[in-house]
Amino acid sequence: MAQIFPKWSNKITKALLWTTLVTVCSITFVFWYWFSPWNLEVGYEPVQPVPYSHKIHAGMLGMDCRYCHTGVDKSAVAGVPPTQVCMNCHSTIKADSLNLVVVQESWKTNQSIPWVRVHKIPDFAYFDHSAHISVGVGCVSCHGHIEQMTEVRLEKPLSMGWCLECHRNPAPHLRPLDKITDMNFKTDLAWEKVAKAKAATLHPPVESCSGCHR
Ligand code: HEC
Ligand code: HEC
Ligand code: HEC
Ligand code: HEC
Ligand code: HEC
């Protein structure tokens, strides 16, 4: 049978197929990447199931962060407190408040409160709170002034560039270990010297990709 198309046209068809495939894949990736829940923008402030306020509890009442986020200096995750912790006080304080109905309900039914996650990095990157807390990086460096927020808001981009910026020069973020949760810690010349010396002994991963991508 006579060839309708010359031989080289086979190559073109193949190339066309490949281009289409690659384009489709790229578009899928871009959509998947940008609309994945981890790619949150600074300022993200979801409505929570309970009008719980850090401004009241951590700010006005001066509660330490670790009263509720008990995992933060011991493990990778800080953890959000179980309803039991709220009931330590709210079984009596404002027990009949409408703002606490969901908390009381959760306590009665033993179903945890469906808090909406605000800070999240993708699974292919590794983060550990205790590794940071134990060397003296304070909460405020990475979360902003939580104690002034009525609703938690994302203050930092949590991007790779943001991680590396501090890893290249952590000294300004270091503080005494008993000031980790002090949201208003101020450095002075004497501390800056100590922090610089301490930073020189630390080795946060920068070039080593496997430090964060394990
Ligand atoms: C009385 C308990 C309590 C105390 C004290 C407390 N928190 Fe929280 N925290 C919560 C609860 C409940 C949530 C989840 C609801 C929300 O996001 O508001 C939360 C959420 C957060 C989140 C966001 C978690 C996410 O989803 O990404 C951060 C960050 C945080 N707290 C930091 C702090 C810091 C820093 C302090 C101390 C200055 C502190 N918290 C003190 C109870 C507490
Ligand atoms: C150490 C005690 C204590 C703990 C623990 C505690 N709270 Fe509170 N909470 C208070 C106090 C005190 C107030 C302020 C009451 C007032 O305005 O008179 C308050 C106020 C509130 C209010 C506003 C109530 C209203 O009607 O104005 C909410 C909602 C609330 N807390 C939720 C929570 C949640 C959720 C938890 C657990 C993550 C929690 N609290 C843990 C002491 C506590
Ligand atoms: C070096 C930066 C850094 C510091 C310091 C830090 N955090 Fe975080 N925090 C993060 C990142 C990044 C995430 C998201 C982690 C993830 O997705 O696995 C996060 C998530 C959280 C969460 C929600 C998820 C979880 O791990 O349970 C809470 C609550 C929280 N941090 C509280 C705190 C408190 C309280 C402190 C201070 C005692 C603190 N963080 C100090 C970077 C930091
Ligand atoms: C504000 C400063 C700061 C920020 C922001 C920060 N880090 Fe770190 N990181 C440090 C310091 C300081 C160390 C301690 C290094 C040491 O112990 O030698 C460290 C250590 C680490 C380690 C090694 C500890 C271990 O468990 O092996 C990892 C992994 C890490 N950081 C991941 C991250 C990731 C991922 C982010 C961003 C989401 C991030 N860090 C953001 C300061 C920071
Ligand atoms: C300090 C921790 C850290 C180190 C070191 C690190 N990364 Fe990342 N990387 C991250 C985090 C966190 C993200 C997620 C960023 C986001 O969600 O926007 C990420 C994302 C990425 C992505 C996805 C695309 C993007 O930009 O979001 C690639 C690819 C990547 N890293 C490659 C590398 C390579 C290659 C190296 C070594 C040269 C490296 N990373 C070193 C923390 C790190």
Side-chain angles (χ1 to χ4, degrees):
M1 205 173 93
Q3 275 188 317
I4 300 169
F5 296 110
K7 223 175 183 165
W8 51 261
S9 68
N10 257 343
K11 274 194 187 146
I12 295 198
T13 326
K14 256 192 199 157
L16 216 76
L17 266 174
W18 275 111
T19 323
T20 316
L21 197 71
V22 169
T23 313
V24 168
C25 284
S26 317
I27 291 172
T28 315
F29 175 79
V30 166
F31 269 83
W32 164 77
Y33 182 74
W34 284 105
F35 295 104
S36 291
W38 74 64
N39 219 304
L40 303 172
E41 296 208 8
V42 168
Y44 176 60
E45 184 180 338
V47 176
Q48 299 289 348
V50 178
Y52 165 80
S53 161
H54 280 86
K55 193 172 177 180
I56 294 180
H57 296 83
M60 281 155 59
L61 299 173
M63 292 172 70
D64 190 278
C65 314
R66 286 162 293 192
Y67 182 97
C68 292
H69 302 292
T70 49
V72 80
D73 50 3
K74 301 177 203 69
S75 69
V77 288
V80 166
T83 306
Q84 162 77 64
V85 173
C86 314
M87 292 309 279
N88 289 349
C89 294
H90 289 295
S91 55
T92 53
I93 296 172
K94 290 245 175 181
D96 301 326
S97 167
L98 283 178
N99 290 329
L100 285 155
V101 168
V102 173
V103 179
Q104 304 286 0
E105 207 45 42
S106 149
W107 181 239
K108 270 184 230 139
T109 58
N110 212 11
Q111 299 275 312
S112 41
I113 301 168
W115 301 112
V116 184
R117 184 86 179 249
V118 183
H119 300 73
K120 183 89 189 82
I121 59 168
D123 291 337
F124 58 76
Y126 173 81
F127 180 80
D128 183 323
H129 273 97
S130 66
H132 292 84
I133 305 302
S134 65
V135 296
V137 184
C139 316
V140 74
S141 284
C142 301
H143 294 299
H145 280 282
I146 294 275
E147 88 290 3
Q148 295 170 11
M149 297 180 196
T150 311
E151 257 180 351
V152 176
R153 181 174 63 245
L154 190 65
E155 289 279 276
K156 309 283 175 185
L158 309 187
S159 62
M160 179 165 137
W162 174 76
C163 309
L164 294 177
E165 195 177 307
C166 178
H167 281 195
R168 289 200 183 95
N169 179 26
H173 297 282
L174 299 181
R175 45 176 62 199
L177 294 181
D178 60 348
K179 298 279 192 265
I180 287 298
T181 58
D182 177 349
M183 306 300 274
N184 295 303
F185 173 74
K186 296 266 182 299
T187 57
D188 53 29
L189 281 174
W191 173 255
E192 272 170 30
K193 249 185 166 169
V194 179
K196 249 193 189 148
K198 182 166 181 185
T201 68
L202 300 175
H203 306 285
V206 178
E207 272 94 37
S208 135
C209 314
S210 60
C212 298
H213 301 291
R214 310 184 167 185

